[in-house]
Amino acid sequence: MPWGRLHDQAGGDAKLLALSDAAWRMWGCGLIYCQARLTDGFIPEYAIVTFGVRAKNKAAVIEELCQSLVPGKGPLWLRVPGGYQVHDYLDWNDSREEVEQRRESDRRRKGFRPDSDRNRRRVGV
């Protein structure tokens, strides 16, 4: 299972303090989405509705995340073709490649053999 990282001082970060509650929730849900699906920080436009953010105007919340709300600081999300990119995501979280390599290494270390009777039942082969 991959893990998203949230710095223990995030609650005092100026960029996060400037957010509305709905934007803070959407930002957090975006991080969870990215790590669960190993997107390297990319959030497709269509995924936003799955986040459970109750704001009536989600477009305004997204706009808030894509603006620089603190002088001298950039936005938390960047608009990219097809959706949004979490700013500096890979500076704080493992990439898809790193997670997959670690998973494979763990499988080898634990002796996972897809051809064994036990694992054949587990993976439905």
Side-chain angles (χ1 to χ4, degrees), residues 101-112:
Q101 286 175 354
R102 189 172 49 252
R103 287 177 181 173
E104 180 59 31
S105 175
D106 287 348
R107 280 192 288 271
R108 281 194 302 268
R109 181 179 51 80
K110 294 175 183 177
F112 179 82

Side-chain angles (χ1 to χ4, degrees), residues 20-37:
S20 66
D21 289 347
W24 214 108
R25 181 180 176 112
M26 188 173 289
W27 176 76
C29 288
L31 293 178
I32 293 165
Y33 177 91
C34 293
Q35 198 58 21
R37 289 160 184 80

Side-chain angles (χ1 to χ4, degrees), residues 2-120:
W3 294 88
R5 293 192 178 98
L6 186 59
H7 193 285
D8 61 357
Q9 299 299 309
D13 183 276
K15 287 169 64 169
L16 296 176
L17 288 171
L19 294 176
S20 66
D21 289 347
W24 214 108
R25 181 180 176 112
M26 188 173 289
W27 176 76
C29 288
L31 293 178
I32 293 165
Y33 177 91
C34 293
Q35 198 58 21
R37 289 160 184 80
L38 300 178
T39 68
D40 290 341
F42 175 71
I43 302 167
E45 181 85 36
Y46 64 81
I48 300 292
V49 297
T50 69
F51 289 179
V53 176
R54 296 184 192 104
K56 291 180 181 171
N57 189 349
K58 288 183 180 62
V61 175
I62 292 168
E63 184 59 32
E64 187 177 340
L65 290 166
C66 292
Q67 290 180 19
S68 177
L69 301 175
V70 177
K73 302 278 187 177
L76 292 163
W77 287 5
L78 306 170
R79 291 184 193 283
V80 296
Y84 307 92
Q85 181 67 39
V86 177
H87 183 258
D88 289 342
Y89 180 85
L90 292 174
D91 290 347
W92 299 97
N93 295 280
D94 295 336
S95 69
R96 172 187 211 101
E97 182 179 348
E98 291 167 324
V99 170
E100 289 176 346
Q101 286 175 354
R102 189 172 49 252
R103 287 177 181 173
E104 180 59 31
S105 175
D106 287 348
R107 280 192 288 271
R108 281 194 302 268
R109 181 179 51 80
K110 294 175 183 177
F112 179 82
R113 292 189 349 245
D115 58 337
S116 75
D117 285 339
R118 176 174 170 250
N119 290 326
R120 193 173 298 120

